[in-house]
């Protein structure tokens, strides 16, 4: 299914940031629960469990086979979902290896380097480019203030999160193609299932302690729901209606939400540089999403509604 030529106008600019804020809160509340599971299982196993539990939830909800309207098997959809799943899984596992070593807000802020580079490569217009510059400065203040690279564990965490950022940029680029190609939520469910299978050898060996306790298993499913199924489903809705550059820039809201969640749930108190960074990111998002009707028409087109 091709993307419709009908212009969206400015409507997406109003609700997209709100959806992304909700997505961010959900994702990082889930991540804060995951940090608690690191005491009983390796971070890579918790990350894999997040993917596998989210795949289970999505497949039960969607109950969709990769078939075309005529009933034939849709190899193209499955292949695209497989690529999406490999990228999504790599992003998640590297991120969880990072937050086992560095604070949640810092990790998400450094990870944002990937999306901001994608926005810089694909963005158009002075508002978007100014927003990119402000967001980059804000994220730099949030991420690098107080990062002690002389600590080997912290340095390893930064390395893992830089890899996660690379895969985050790929996730946005491929995810939007999945979204506008039709059946985005169905493709997402299969992407998660394929990711769960692909990374099974890495994550499954250390998951036994969680599987043996129903309370820990319930916590893992909460992580999968809050950190993957819900936010990635929201991403598929948002990606259908805004260009990749704006989606990449809107992800600058995620370092903000992760910092706030880290403060409330993990008691990770932000310093002055991080607070200034929050202000800069907020200005950047306001600029980037404040397009005129003509700019919005030029930047984005509305895709057909996702079947629920």
């Amino acid at each position: 299914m091709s993307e419709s030529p009908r212009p969206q106008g400015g409507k997406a600019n109003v609700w997209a940031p709100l959806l992304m804020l909700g997505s961010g809160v959900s994702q990082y509340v889930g991540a804060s629960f995951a940090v608690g599971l690191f005491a009983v299982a390796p971070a890579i196993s918790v990350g894999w469990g997040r993917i596998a539990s989210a795949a289970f939830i999505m497949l039960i909800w969607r109950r969709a086979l990769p078939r075309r309207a005529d009933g034939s098997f849709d190899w193209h959809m499955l292949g695209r979902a497989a690529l999406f799943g490999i990228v999504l899984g790599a992003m998640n596992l590297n991120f969880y290896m990072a937050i086992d070593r560095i604070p949640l807000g810092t990790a998400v802020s450094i990870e944002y380097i990937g999306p901001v580079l994608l926005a810089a490569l694909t963005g158009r217009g002075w508002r978007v480019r100014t927003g990119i510059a402000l967001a980059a400065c804000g994220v730099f203040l949030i991420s690098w203030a107080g990062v002690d690279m002389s600590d080997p564990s912290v340095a390893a965490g930064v390395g893992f999160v830089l890899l996660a950022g690379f895969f985050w940029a790929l996730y946005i680029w491929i995810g939007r193609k999945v979204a506008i190609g039709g059946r985005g939520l169905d493709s997402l469910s299969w992407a998660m299932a394929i990711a769960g299978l692909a990374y099974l050898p890495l994550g499954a060996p250390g998951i036994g302690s969680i599987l043996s306790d129903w309370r820990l298993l319930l916590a893992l499913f909460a992580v999968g729901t809050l950190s993957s199924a819900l936010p990635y489903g929201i991403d598929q809705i948002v990606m259908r209606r805004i260009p990749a550059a704006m989606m990449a820039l809107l992800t600058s809201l995620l370092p903000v939400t992760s910092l706030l969640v880290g403060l409330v749930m993990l008691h990770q108190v932000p310093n002055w540089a991080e607070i200034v960074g929050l202000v800069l990111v907020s200005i950047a998002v306001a600029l980037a999403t404040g397009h005129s009707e003509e700019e919005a028409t030029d930047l984005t087109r509305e895709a057909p509604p996702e079947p629920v």
Side-chain angles (χ1 to χ4, degrees):
M1 182 183 296
S2 61
E3 193 175 3
S4 168
R6 292 176 294 143
Q8 167 92 359
K11 291 184 293 182
N13 296 339
V14 175
W15 53 257
L18 297 177
L19 283 176
M20 290 301 293
L21 275 173
S23 171
V25 170
S26 175
Q27 190 164 348
Y28 299 121
V29 167
S32 69
F33 290 153
V35 170
L37 293 174
F38 292 165
V40 296
I44 197 166
S45 295
V46 177
W48 175 79
R50 162 190 170 177
I51 298 167
S53 59
F56 180 81
I57 292 165
M58 289 292 294
L59 287 173
I60 294 261
W61 172 40
R62 300 305 297 178
R63 297 193 302 274
L65 294 174
R67 295 189 180 278
R68 297 186 179 90
D70 62 5
S72 61
F73 198 84
D74 192 344
W75 289 105
H76 178 69
M77 173 189 169
L78 193 62
R80 187 168 52 189
L83 178 61
F84 191 32
I86 295 300
V87 168
L88 184 153
M91 175 182 72
N92 284 185
L93 295 183
N94 278 288
F95 178 72
Y96 270 41
M97 295 292 284
I99 63 173
D100 191 31
R101 294 165 171 82
I102 58 178
L104 175 64
T106 302
V108 178
S109 300
I110 298 173
E111 188 187 21
Y112 181 65
I113 291 172
V116 83
L117 288 176
L118 177 64
L121 290 172
T122 59
R124 292 187 296 165
W126 74 268
R127 287 180 181 270
V128 171
R129 295 190 181 279
T130 304
I132 289 166
L134 289 175
C137 291
V139 169
F140 178 81
L141 287 172
I142 294 171
S143 61
W144 291 107
V147 174
D148 182 10
M149 291 296 289
S150 64
D151 184 333
S153 178
V154 171
V158 170
F160 280 122
V161 86
L162 286 173
L163 277 174
F166 168 75
F167 286 110
W168 193 4
L170 286 180
Y171 164 84
I172 294 170
W173 183 62
I174 298 171
R176 186 166 188 271
K177 293 183 181 296
V178 169
I180 65 177
R183 299 185 64 191
L185 292 174
D186 293 344
S187 296
L188 175 63
S189 65
W190 284 102
M192 288 179 173
I194 291 167
L197 291 174
Y199 295 105
L200 178 70
L202 294 177
I207 203 75
S209 57
I210 293 178
L211 299 181
S212 63
D213 186 326
W214 69 267
R215 290 166 297 186
L216 295 176
L217 184 60
L218 188 62
L220 183 64
F221 268 86
V223 171
T225 303
L226 293 171
S227 287
S228 290
L230 181 57
Y232 295 158
I234 290 174
D235 284 353
Q236 283 296 302
I237 295 169
V238 174
M239 284 175 178
R240 292 172 66 81
R241 293 166 175 84
I242 62 174
M246 187 181 291
M247 179 66 187
L249 190 52
L250 281 180
T251 58
S252 63
L253 291 168
L254 300 186
V256 174
T257 55
S258 68
L259 205 63
L260 296 176
V261 169
L263 171 63
V264 173
M265 299 196 65
L266 301 176
H267 309 295
Q268 298 169 347
V269 181
N271 55 37
W272 68 267
E274 292 171 325
I275 293 170
V276 173
L278 294 180
V279 173
L280 290 177
V281 167
S282 300
I283 295 171
V285 171
L287 268 176
T289 58
H291 297 296
S292 67
E293 187 72 16
E294 290 77 13
E295 287 174 308
T297 299
D298 180 59
L299 278 172
T300 186
R301 299 177 185 277
E302 183 179 14
E306 174 76 22
V308 176

